[in-house]
Amino acid sequence: MVWLGDTRATLRACPQDVQDEVGYALYLAQISEKYAGAKPLKGLGPGVLEVVADHRGDTYRAVYTVRFAERVYVLHVFRKKSKKGIATPQSDIELVRQRLKRAAELDQKREH
């Protein structure tokens, strides 16, 4: 498991039930299984998944990739602030794109 940016600290700051749900989804990803609540994050290609966890009216999201053979990369964890629609804010999508690129670079270095 590779935590990119502040993802680990951000998850640890989430409510315990959110941590438990996301942690279980990540555990399943590590053993090559898929959490029932994990959905593909549209527009980022195959192997990029999102878990949405609700807690007392707030929505938390965790984005990770299983695109690389031996490691799960946690790309972003955040509380969705916008109440307009279910779409992920563009700034969060951009951050995921940057971290996905970084994950590809790190994975490439591992192979050499």
Side-chain angles (χ1 to χ4, degrees), residues 10 41-42 57 68 70 76 84 90 95 99-100 109:
T10 302
L41 187 58
K42 290 181 173 75
F68 308 104
E70 294 184 23
H76 193 24
K84 292 186 277 184
Q90 194 58 40
L95 182 58
R99 290 182 177 168
L100 186 59
K109 286 180 183 171

Side-chain angles (χ1 to χ4, degrees), residues 3 6 8 18 26 29 36 43 47-48 51 60 62 64-65 78-79 86-87 89 92 98 101 107-108 110-112:
W3 301 83
D6 62 353
R8 179 181 249 162
V18 172
L26 294 173
V48 178
V51 173
Y60 297 84
Y64 62 96
T65 185
F78 63 103
R79 189 177 107 218
I86 60 169
D92 290 306
Q98 290 171 10
K101 184 178 176 186
D107 205 67
Q108 190 72 22
R110 284 187 66 245
E111 292 177 7
H112 295 327

Side-chain angles (χ1 to χ4, degrees), residues 30-85:
Q30 285 183 294
I31 61 170
S32 300
E33 292 184 23
K34 184 175 174 258
Y35 178 61
K39 306 286 186 226
L41 187 58
K42 290 181 173 75
L44 293 169
V48 178
L49 302 168
E50 176 179 54
V51 173
V52 178
D54 292 315
H55 177 79
R56 296 186 182 174
D58 288 324
T59 299
Y60 297 84
R61 294 181 177 201
V63 180
Y64 62 96
T65 185
V66 293
R67 187 176 287 177
F68 308 104
E70 294 184 23
R71 286 193 171 162
V72 174
Y73 290 85
V74 184
L75 304 172
H76 193 24
V77 176
F78 63 103
R79 189 177 107 218
K80 186 172 181 296
K81 294 178 178 81
S82 171
K83 299 297 179 203
K84 292 186 277 184

